[in-house]
Amino acid sequence: MTRTEFSVTVDLVLLTIRQAALQVMLVSRGIPPHQGRWALPGGFVHGDEDLGEAAARELREETGLDPRDGYFEQLATYGRPGRDPRGRVVTVAYLALLPDLPTPVAGSDAAGAAWRPVDEVRGDLAFDHDEILADGIERARSKLEYTPLATAFCPPEFTVADLRAVYETVWRVRLDPRNFHRKVTGADGFVEPAGGTVIRDRGRPAQLYRRGPATSLHPPLMREPTRPPDQRPDGRRTS
Amino acid sequence: MTRTEFSVTVDLVLLTIRQAALQVMLVSRGIPPHQGRWALPGGFVHGDEDLGEAAARELREETGLDPRDGYFEQLATYGRPGRDPRGRVVTVAYLALLPDLPTPVAGSDAAGAAWRPVDEVRGDLAFDHDEILADGIERARSKLEYTPLATAFCPPEFTVADLRAVYETVWRVRLDPRNFHRKVTGADGFVEPAGGTVIRDRGRPAQLYRRGPATSLHPPLMREPTRPPDQRPDGRRTS
DNA sequence: GCAAAAGTGTTCCCCATACACCCATGT
DNA sequence: ACATGGGTGTATGGGGAACACTTTTGC
C-alpha cells in the first residue's frame, strides 16, 4: 500500500459578465512552470485550512472580492499524474459567479490578474486549466436552469433587463423581454423589489430588484432553449 | 508559502436498489481509526494513478463490479483538517449507480462489505462519511430529473415497471404507471425495446427494454414532484 | 370468472410562447 | 414627435396530470 505524498492546490474559475461577454479571471504566470502563460488563479492549501477556506482566501488575495459577493461552490478535482511538472499535485477547483464590481485588484498577488472573455482564451491556458475552465462554464450554464444563481452575476440592485442579459450571455440566446419579465417577477422568491428606478440607456425607467430568498426553483424557472440552428445571434452553429 | 504534504484517498458512494430500498455499499473497518464502524469503501491513490482510475480500481477490488456496469462520476472532495486522525488526508469521493447484480463479492478486500439500506445507516458512519453519503444521495436524486441515469440502477434488460420503481424508491413518491409508461417509451433515446417479455408477479407480461443512446434529456423527462404532505407511502413527512 | 399488472385513449388544465399594445423617458 | 426600452394583456398550443378503459396473464 503506497501512501504517496501529494501537494494540494485550489484553483478558481471566477466568472463574471462584462461588456456583454462571459469573462474569466486569469493571471499571467510570473514563474515556471508555464511562465508567461495565462492560468487560473490559485495556490497551495495550507496545513490548517479546509479546502473551501483556502479557496476563499485565494479569492480575497487575488481579487479583493468576498465569496459572499456572488456565489461560490466546489467544482471538481483534478489529479492526473503529470498535470503539474513540479510533482504530484492534486487541485480542487472552485467555481465563483461574481458581479462586475469595480474590482479593487489592489492586492500584491493580483499583479497581472485580468478579466478575459472566455471565448478568447479557450485553448491557451497553462496546466489542465482549459479543461477546468470548460467544466466551470458548463456547470454555470446548467446551474442557471434550475437555481436562481443568475442573480449572482448581478450587483446588489439590478433591473430585470440586467438579469435577462445574464441568461442571454451565458446561454448565447435571445429571450423575449416581455415573457422574461413576467416569469422572473412572478417566480416565488426569485427577486424582490428594491424600490428605486434607473434609466440605463434610453426609454422608460426600470424598477430595481434585489435577490430574493429562494435557493432553488422547482420546477426550473428558466430553461435553456433547444436552439433552432439560426437563432444564435453570432450566426454560428452549435456543434 | 507552506507546501503541506497530503495523503489523497478515494471514497466510493455505491448506490443500488435492492428490496425496494435505496442501499449503499459499506465496509466494516477492521483496523483503527474507527475500528469496527461502518465506512464507505475506499483507499489511497497510488503514485501513478489518475483519481478516476484509483476509484475504478477500488470498485473492482471491493465489489468485483466494473464502472461500466452502471454509472460513475466524481462527487466532491473533502479535506477538513482533522477529518482523519492519521494526518492531513484529502478524499475525493466518487458516486456510482449500480444495478442489483448478483454481487460477486469474492475479492479479498471485500470481507465485511455489505449493502445496507441508506435509511438504516445515516448518522452511524466513520470519518465524515455521513456527510459524503448525504451528498451522494442528493446528487443521485437530482440527476434523475434531467438525465436518463435511472437506467443505471437497472440490469441490462428491464421493464418499464422496474424503471418506475427506481424513481419511486429514490424520490419516495408514487408515480402514475400509465403516464410513466407513455413518457418513458415516448422520450427520444431513453429506452429501446429489447424484444422479450417477462412476467414478474401476476398480470400481463411486460415488454423488456434496454438503455437507449440518450445521454441527456432536454427538457427533463421526469420531474421530482413537489409532494403534498400526505403522498408519502410510509406516511412520514418531508422535513 | 376474478384479480392484478401492462398498456392505450381521452379530457382537462396549466403554463410557456408569441405578439399586440400601452407606458415613460431622452432627444 | 418619435425612438427606445419597460412593462401588461391576451390568444394559442403543447404537454403533464388524472383517469376511464382495454389487454393479457395466473389462479
Side-chain angles (χ1 to χ4, degrees):
Chain A
M1 174 79 71
T2 35
R3 279 188 58 170
T4 309
E5 296 295 318
F6 291 77
S7 294
V8 177
T9 59
V10 288
D11 282 316
L12 304 178
V13 179
L14 310 180
L15 299 178
T16 196
I17 292 176
R18 309 186 85 189
Q19 298 149 11
L22 185 63
Q23 308 218 7
V24 59
M25 174 75 79
L26 297 179
V27 296
S28 183
R29 288 190 58 80
I31 56 169
H34 297 290
Q35 186 168 17
R37 299 184 66 184
W38 292 96
L40 298 174
F44 289 95
V45 176
H46 295 174
D48 56 350
E49 277 179 328
D50 198 354
L51 303 172
E53 291 173 18
R57 172 179 55 74
E58 290 289 341
L59 176 62
R60 277 192 302 274
E61 289 177 5
E62 308 259 9
T63 69
L65 292 170
D66 188 275
R68 289 135 53 119
D69 292 331
Y71 175 75
F72 199 66
E73 70 168 22
Q74 196 186 101
L75 175 59
T77 299
Y78 304 80
R80 183 171 52 77
R83 61 172 293 280
D84 188 320
R86 290 168 293 188
R88 199 65 210 276
V89 180
V90 164
T91 195
V92 183
Y94 281 77
L95 173 68
L97 313 182
L98 299 165
D100 181 17
L101 294 172
T103 320
V105 200
S108 47
D109 290 23
W115 291 110
R116 297 291 312 278
V118 296
D119 288 337
E120 296 180 10
V121 301
R122 250 192 273 246
D124 295 334
L125 302 188
F127 305 106
D128 49 3
H129 290 187
D130 282 313
E131 180 189 357
I132 299 175
L133 174 59
D135 291 347
I137 292 169
E138 184 51 37
R139 175 80 64 92
R141 262 195 241 284
S142 60
K143 279 267 166 178
L144 292 200
E145 292 205 18
Y146 51 95
T147 70
L149 287 180
T151 57
F153 282 116
C154 296
E157 301 201 342
F158 53 88
T159 68
V160 174
D162 294 336
L163 191 57
R164 178 163 49 85
V166 171
Y167 287 95
E168 293 187 335
T169 301
V170 175
W171 285 346
R172 300 174 170 285
V173 291
R174 285 293 134 214
L175 299 175
D176 185 298
R178 295 140 333 175
N179 293 331
F180 184 89
H181 185 278
R182 212 188 339 249
K183 277 160 79 167
V184 163
T185 55
D188 202 51
F190 190 15
V191 298
E192 51 190 27
T197 62
V198 68
I199 299 172
R200 284 271 185 266
D201 191 16
R202 285 175 293 277
R204 171 176 170 178
Q207 304 280 0
L208 285 171
Y209 291 88
R210 273 190 293 266
R211 304 209 254 260
T215 58
S216 72
L217 294 169
H218 280 287
L221 172 68
M222 225 46 80
R223 188 168 302 152
E224 185 172 4
T226 50
R227 286 184 275 285
D230 60 55
Q231 195 164 345
R232 287 218 359 212
D234 55 7
R236 279 184 288 171
R237 305 299 173 93
T238 313
S239 63
Chain B
M1 170 80 71
T2 35
R3 278 188 59 169
T4 309
E5 294 295 321
F6 291 78
S7 293
V8 176
T9 61
V10 288
D11 283 315
L12 304 178
V13 179
L14 309 180
L15 298 178
T16 195
I17 291 175
R18 309 186 85 191
Q19 298 149 12
L22 186 63
Q23 309 217 6
V24 59
M25 175 75 78
L26 296 178
V27 295
S28 181
R29 289 190 58 80
I31 57 169
H34 297 290
Q35 185 168 17
R37 298 184 67 185
W38 293 97
L40 298 174
F44 290 96
V45 176
H46 295 175
D48 57 349
E49 277 178 328
D50 197 354
L51 304 172
E53 289 174 18
R57 171 178 56 74
E58 290 289 341
L59 176 63
R60 277 192 301 276
E61 289 177 5
E62 308 258 9
T63 69
L65 292 169
D66 188 274
R68 290 136 52 120
D69 292 332
Y71 174 75
F72 200 66
E73 71 168 21
Q74 195 185 102
L75 175 58
T77 299
Y78 303 81
R80 181 172 52 78
R83 61 172 293 279
D84 188 319
R86 290 169 294 189
R88 200 64 209 276
V89 181
V90 163
T91 195
V92 184
Y94 280 77
L95 172 68
L97 313 183
L98 298 166
D100 181 18
L101 294 172
T103 322
V105 201
S108 46
D109 290 22
W115 291 110
R116 297 292 311 279
V118 296
D119 288 337
E120 297 181 10
V121 301
R122 251 192 272 247
D124 296 333
L125 302 188
F127 304 105
D128 50 3
H129 289 186
D130 283 313
E131 179 189 358
I132 299 175
L133 174 59
D135 290 347
I137 293 169
E138 184 51 38
R139 175 80 65 91
R141 261 194 243 283
S142 60
K143 278 269 167 177
L144 292 200
E145 291 204 17
Y146 51 96
T147 70
L149 286 180
T151 57
F153 283 117
C154 295
E157 301 202 341
F158 54 87
T159 68
V160 174
D162 295 336
L163 191 58
R164 179 164 48 87
V166 170
Y167 287 95
E168 293 187 334
T169 301
V170 175
W171 285 346
R172 300 175 171 285
V173 292
R174 285 294 133 210
L175 298 175
D176 186 297
R178 293 134 345 175
N179 292 330
F180 183 89
H181 186 279
R182 211 189 340 249
K183 276 160 80 169
V184 163
T185 55
D188 203 50
F190 190 15
V191 298
E192 51 190 26
T197 63
V198 67
I199 300 172
R200 284 270 185 267
D201 191 18
R202 288 175 292 277
R204 172 174 169 178
Q207 305 280 355
L208 285 171
Y209 291 87
R210 271 189 294 267
R211 304 207 254 259
T215 58
S216 71
L217 294 169
H218 279 288
L221 172 68
M222 225 44 81
R223 188 168 302 151
E224 185 172 3
T226 50
R227 284 184 275 287
D230 60 52
Q231 196 164 346
R232 283 209 12 205
D234 57 6
R236 279 184 288 172
R237 306 298 174 91
T238 314
S239 61

